[in-house]
């Protein structure tokens, strides 16, 4: 009985280890709050530039 348990535990340990490796790959990369604010400001500036150029063409 203990031999079966050892084999089963070894297989489960490998399975759990592989699952954690796979789940980390799906996690999005962390972006700090300051970087997020910078990205928002840049996005706002580019959208303002696009709207300005569209209105100036008319």
């Amino acid at each position: 009985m203990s031999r079966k348990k050892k084999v089963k535990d070894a297989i489960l340990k490998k399975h759990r280890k592989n699952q954690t490796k796979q789940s980390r790959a799906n996690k999005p990369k962390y972006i700090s709050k300051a970087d997020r604010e910078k990205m928002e400001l840049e996005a706002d500036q580019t959208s303002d530039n696009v709207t300005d150029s569209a209105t100036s063409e008319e």
Side-chain angles (χ1 to χ4, degrees):
M1 188 74 171
S2 65
R3 182 175 50 190
K4 286 183 180 180
K5 184 179 180 192
K6 285 182 182 180
V7 171
K8 183 180 177 184
D9 287 343
I11 292 171
L12 284 175
K13 186 177 179 181
K14 285 184 179 181
H15 177 69
R16 288 183 188 130
K17 194 172 188 178
N18 287 335
Q19 289 294 328
T20 56
K21 284 183 181 179
Q22 290 176 352
S23 66
R24 277 191 254 146
N26 296 335
K27 188 175 178 181
K29 185 178 177 183
Y30 175 75
I31 301 173
S32 68
K33 189 174 182 180
D35 289 342
R36 286 187 297 229
E37 289 178 1
K38 286 180 187 176
M39 291 170 61
E40 286 181 20
L41 289 174
E42 290 174 358
D44 289 342
Q45 289 175 353
T46 56
S47 65
D48 289 343
N49 290 340
V50 170
T51 56
D52 290 341
S53 64
T55 55
S56 63
E57 290 177 1
E58 293 175 0

